[in-house]
């Protein structure tokens, strides 16, 4: 048996051997804990649960026990987080690279085209973002056969579950404190997870840089948001942040007893209706000045049902508010840019350190444009080895298996430029293990695979990097028979890791 930190490390016990009575007890305790600690989402069976807080709450779907994950790969994922943060920032400044890399996609994907139009307008205006805030989540799967930690994608907008993810780690730690002895598991092997307070800290620091004590943080939200509590956790943390005595703004806050940072929630349609720019670039929504705009909506076409929403997005971009993300940060997070960055000698354009480049490249899976005829041929022959991805976010958009073959053959036949809307990616096959999944108060055992997300925060003001940190994590575990697994979509559950 291996010993780490004085604790015997055993692989997570065989779930088949856990006494069903114990499972039932733990499941009950876990449900109580979730209810008492705000590990909740809006209940889809209650009509207004996505609009009115406190109404129709149900526990978030979660795994009853944490999932085993090798410590070395965990460390690897944490280590590259600041490098990815820096990469996003560097690439965001290369407007020409972004416009060129996405130029073919622009012709066939209306959503990407709209984003690029805003980006072009900002270039024409010579708009500079001096304070840049990124709240990212880089997602990985551990490929079972090669034992490689491979990046699925890097999210630069609307990363979900920094709030609830850390609660799941708390829940698991709590369960292991009570039942770990029977399971041969120790709560200390669950790494600490402070994603919510670290993200709130980044928002707070961005607010300080903006330096208008009367301005607030605005969260851009969907009108109906059942995942609102995940967001409210960040707002709560932001409100409770106590100032440090080292800058004038903080002093101002103390003297005026306004040490808490308020947040407001607005949809893009509301921003279009109530928003305006002052001559100095200040964004006003109603009469309220906005310091930081944190997008938890606006990542996909559904969030822009009319021109009104696009006007709001443009207005925000034109303003002096700190945008999380700016339009260029959002573009860096597209699948197409991910694929372009994986080409030989591209990272070298953006990063100086050879070691850093090697570390990032090590976690790149195979990524190809559909220009690559050999790879397209291979994908038609063996579609099971690939995932085909459009320029979309939020889950449920990828193409798998026989659908890849059909789509590729159709694209070949049509011979249009529609192929530029997609990329091909090597399919990653993580280890499959039995898991207890908790959903709607019911515990059910299934074979599952996991995806690790590492949160990262980056804040700079001109040449000064104020924050570049790894900020906690999220494990999502889904039944292995499902190709894709959004937590909200109903396949995946929130999980945490047990280091082995
Ligand atoms: P989105 O931005 O919509 O989340 P992703 O690239 O993360 O898009 O894909 C959604 C889901 O599809 C992932 O969470 C993962 O479950 C699955 N997936 C994506 N890429 C791969 C891959 N290369 N191998 C295996 N599964 C993948
Ligand atoms: Mg994504
Ligand atoms: Mg994803």
């Amino acid at each position: 048996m291996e010993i780490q930190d004085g604790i015997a490390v055993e692989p997570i016990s065989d779930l088949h051997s856990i006494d069903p009575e114990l499972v039932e007890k733990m499941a009950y305790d876990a449900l109580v804990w979730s209810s008492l600690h705000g590990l909740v989402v809006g209940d889809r069976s209650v009509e207004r649960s996505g609009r009115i807080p406190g109404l129709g709450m149900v526990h978030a779907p979660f795994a009853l026990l944490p999932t085993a994950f090798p410590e070395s790969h965990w460390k690897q994922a944490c280590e590259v987080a600041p490098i990815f943060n820096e990469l996003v920032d560097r690439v965001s400044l290369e407007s020409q690279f972004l416009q060129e890399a996405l130029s073919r996609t622009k012709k066939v994907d209306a959503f990407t085209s709209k984003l690029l139009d805003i980006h072009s307008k900002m270039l024409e205006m010579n708009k500079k973002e001096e304070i840049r805030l990124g709240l990212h989540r880089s997602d990985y799967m551990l490929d079972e056969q090669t034992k490689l930690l491979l990046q699925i994608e890097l999210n630069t907008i609307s990363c979900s579950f920094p709030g609830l993810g850390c609660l799941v780690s708390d829940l698991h730690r709590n369960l292991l404190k009570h039942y770990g002895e029977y399971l041969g598991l120790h709560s200390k092997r669950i790494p600490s997870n402070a994603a919510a307070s670290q993200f709130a800290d980044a928002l707070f620091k961005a607010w300080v840089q903006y330096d208008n004590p009367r301005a607030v943080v605005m969260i851009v939200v969907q009108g109906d948001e059942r995942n609102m509590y995940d967001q409210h956790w960040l707002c709560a943390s932001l409100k409770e942040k106590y100032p440090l005595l080292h800058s004038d703004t903080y002093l101002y806050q103390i003297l005026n007893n306004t040490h808490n940072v308020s947040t407001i929630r607005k949809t893009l349609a509301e921003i279009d209706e109530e928003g305006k720019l002052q001559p100095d670039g200040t964004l006003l929504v109603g009469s309220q000045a906005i310091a930081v705009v944190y997008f938890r909506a606006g990542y996909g076409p559904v969030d822009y049902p009319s021109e009104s929403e696009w006007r709001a997005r443009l207005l925000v971009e034109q303003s002096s508010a700190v945008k999380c993300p700016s339009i260029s940060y959002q573009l860096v997070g597209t699948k197409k840019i991910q694929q372009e960055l994986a080409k030989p000698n591209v990272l070298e354009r953006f990063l100086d350190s050879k070691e850093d480049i090697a570390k990032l490249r090590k976690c790149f899976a195979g990524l190809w444009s559909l220009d690559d005829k050999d790879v397209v041929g291979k994908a038609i022959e063996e579609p099971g080895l690939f995932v085909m991805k459009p320029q979309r976010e939020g889950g449920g958009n990828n193409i798998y298996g026989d659908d890849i073959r059909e789509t590729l053959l159709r694209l070949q036949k049509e011979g249009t430029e529609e192929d530029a809307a997609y990329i091909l990616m090597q399919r990653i096959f993580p280890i499959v293990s039995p898991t207890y999944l908790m959903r709607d108060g019911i515990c059910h055992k299934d074979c599952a695979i996991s995806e690790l997300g590492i949160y990262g925060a980056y804040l700079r003001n001109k040449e000064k990097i104020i924050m570049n940190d790894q900020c906690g994590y999220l494990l999502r575990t889904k039944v292995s028979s499902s190709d894709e697994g959004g937590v909200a979509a109903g396949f995946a559950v929130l999980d945490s890791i047990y280091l082995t």
Side-chain angles (χ1 to χ4, degrees):
M1 189 187 306
E2 203 184 339
I3 306 281
Q4 286 173 11
D5 303 343
I7 300 160
V9 180
E10 279 180 292
I12 269 195
S13 29
D14 176 13
L15 291 189
H16 299 290
S17 65
I18 305 181
D19 177 5
E21 238 174 78
L22 178 59
V23 173
E24 208 176 300
K25 247 190 185 161
M26 287 193 295
Y28 185 86
D29 285 3
L31 290 173
V32 172
W33 193 97
S34 315
S35 317
L36 295 183
H37 293 84
L39 177 49
V40 292
V41 293
D43 181 350
R44 68 179 75 216
S45 68
V46 178
E47 207 242 317
R48 292 181 299 156
S49 65
R51 291 192 295 280
I52 302 172
L55 193 88
M57 292 143 91
V58 60
H59 74 89
F62 61 84
L64 183 59
L65 290 169
T67 295
F69 199 86
E71 187 162 17
S72 56
H73 288 107
W74 156 249
K75 285 190 172 147
Q76 185 194 345
C78 294
E79 199 188 346
V80 291
I83 312 174
F84 273 118
N85 288 342
E86 187 65 44
L87 177 69
V88 171
D89 192 65
R90 296 277 178 96
V91 177
S92 79
L93 299 174
E94 297 291 327
S95 339
Q96 206 60 28
F97 171 80
L98 289 173
Q99 287 280 345
E100 266 169 37
L102 291 162
S103 61
R104 278 194 70 229
T105 308
K106 181 181 163 106
K107 291 190 207 160
V108 290
D109 186 304
F111 179 69
T112 309
S113 169
K114 283 281 206 183
L115 294 176
L116 281 168
D117 285 345
I118 296 179
H119 185 252
S120 301
K121 279 194 184 122
M122 293 310 110
L123 291 176
E124 279 161 32
M125 282 174 61
N126 199 23
K127 180 84 169 57
K128 294 270 177 289
E129 297 298 328
E130 284 177 339
I131 309 172
R132 301 195 291 276
L133 172 66
L135 295 178
H136 306 142
R137 199 188 67 222
S138 182
D139 292 333
Y140 305 88
M141 279 180 175
L142 181 51
D143 190 59
E144 187 184 11
Q145 212 171 29
T146 59
K147 301 275 178 279
L148 289 174
L149 179 84
L150 296 176
Q151 187 182 48
I152 295 284
E153 63 156 346
L154 176 59
N155 294 290
T156 57
I157 181 165
S158 268
C159 301
S160 59
F161 299 118
L164 299 188
C166 44
L167 285 178
V168 178
S169 308
D170 288 346
L171 163 67
H172 284 161
R173 229 174 272 119
N174 183 277
L175 283 174
L176 293 196
K177 271 183 196 142
H178 287 99
Y179 299 105
E181 217 181 303
Y182 305 107
L183 301 165
L185 300 174
H186 201 292
S187 62
K188 280 196 179 152
R189 302 301 305 165
I190 300 172
S192 68
N193 192 359
S197 65
Q198 284 180 284
F199 266 20
D201 203 38
L203 287 163
F204 177 68
K205 286 179 172 144
W207 176 86
V208 170
Q209 290 302 312
Y210 188 78
D211 203 21
N212 173 356
R214 280 165 298 274
V216 299
V217 173
M218 175 169 74
I219 311 190
V220 181
V221 295
Q222 296 176 339
D224 203 30
E225 175 59 273
R226 287 205 318 276
N227 197 24
M228 68 166 96
Y229 304 101
D230 181 49
Q231 302 165 2
H232 284 305
W233 272 111
L234 297 194
C235 305
S237 187
L238 199 53
K239 216 167 187 158
E240 283 155 19
K241 277 270 166 293
Y242 278 84
L244 307 163
L245 275 164
H246 67 218
S247 101
D248 290 344
T249 310
Y250 293 123
L251 261 178
Y252 175 97
Q253 287 179 293
I254 292 165
L255 294 174
N256 294 280
N257 199 22
T258 56
H259 55 259
N260 52 13
V261 179
S262 293
T263 48
I264 58 169
R265 296 168 66 81
K266 293 284 174 189
T267 63
L268 284 167
E270 286 168 337
I271 295 167
D272 180 46
E273 208 169 288
E274 302 165 29
K276 58 174 183 284
L277 291 189
Q278 289 192 312
D280 69 350
T282 304
L283 174 63
L284 291 183
V285 175
S287 55
Q288 181 65 66
I290 308 297
V292 181
V293 183
Y294 172 42
F295 285 91
R296 288 296 295 263
Y299 52 81
V302 184
D303 292 335
Y304 301 84
S306 73
E307 274 307 306
S308 157
E309 287 77 14
W310 285 112
R311 270 198 305 274
R313 185 64 202 266
L314 179 64
L315 185 82
V316 168
E317 204 62 31
Q318 287 170 321
S319 77
S320 62
V322 183
K323 298 121 198 123
C324 179
S326 65
I327 204 83
S328 30
Y329 267 44
Q330 182 172 356
L331 289 170
V332 176
T334 56
K335 310 283 188 285
K336 181 63 193 169
I337 295 298
Q338 180 188 9
Q339 175 256 308
E340 286 290 322
L341 290 172
K343 280 184 178 171
N345 301 317
V346 177
L347 283 183
E348 283 77 359
R349 286 178 58 179
F350 303 106
L351 296 174
D352 309 318
S353 154
K354 285 207 163 59
E355 285 108 81
D356 284 356
I357 292 171
K359 281 176 194 163
L360 296 197
R361 197 158 277 143
K362 198 172 162 198
C363 52
F364 284 174
L367 286 153
W368 305 275
S369 138
L370 271 63
D371 294 340
D372 192 328
K373 297 297 167 233
D374 289 349
V375 171
V376 169
K378 251 186 231 157
I380 291 173
E381 251 169 61
E382 288 196 82
L385 300 181
F386 295 85
V387 179
M388 192 169 163
K389 301 188 178 184
Q391 310 307 305
R392 289 290 174 274
E393 292 299 323
N397 301 297
N398 297 340
I399 305 174
Y400 300 88
D402 289 340
D403 293 340
I404 295 183
R405 177 185 294 135
E406 264 172 47
T407 312
L408 289 175
L409 289 172
R410 177 177 64 77
L411 291 173
Q412 278 187 345
K413 207 166 128 201
E414 290 171 358
T416 59
E417 292 206 71
E418 200 199 320
D419 62 343
Y422 300 96
I423 62 155
L424 277 168
M425 184 172 182
Q426 160 199 354
R427 183 155 185 170
I428 303 159
F429 295 97
I431 192 164
V432 177
S433 44
T435 310
Y436 288 105
L437 309 149
M438 298 285 301
R439 184 180 287 282
D440 290 325
I442 296 164
C443 178
H444 112 126
K445 194 159 88 178
D446 210 326
C447 291
I449 57 175
S450 297
E451 179 174 350
L452 175 67
I454 301 287
Y455 294 105
Y458 186 86
L459 175 66
R460 72 184 288 158
N461 190 346
K462 296 181 192 138
E463 291 317 304
K464 190 168 171 217
I465 298 171
I466 293 149
M467 193 171 175
N468 183 8
D469 295 327
Q470 178 252 322
C471 299
Y473 64 95
L474 171 76
L475 195 74
R476 281 171 302 167
T477 294
K478 64 172 183 180
V479 294
S480 54
S481 54
S482 143
D483 284 327
E484 207 151 322
V487 173
F491 293 109
V493 296
L494 302 175
D495 197 354
S496 65
I497 60 180
Y498 188 87
L499 296 180
T500 57

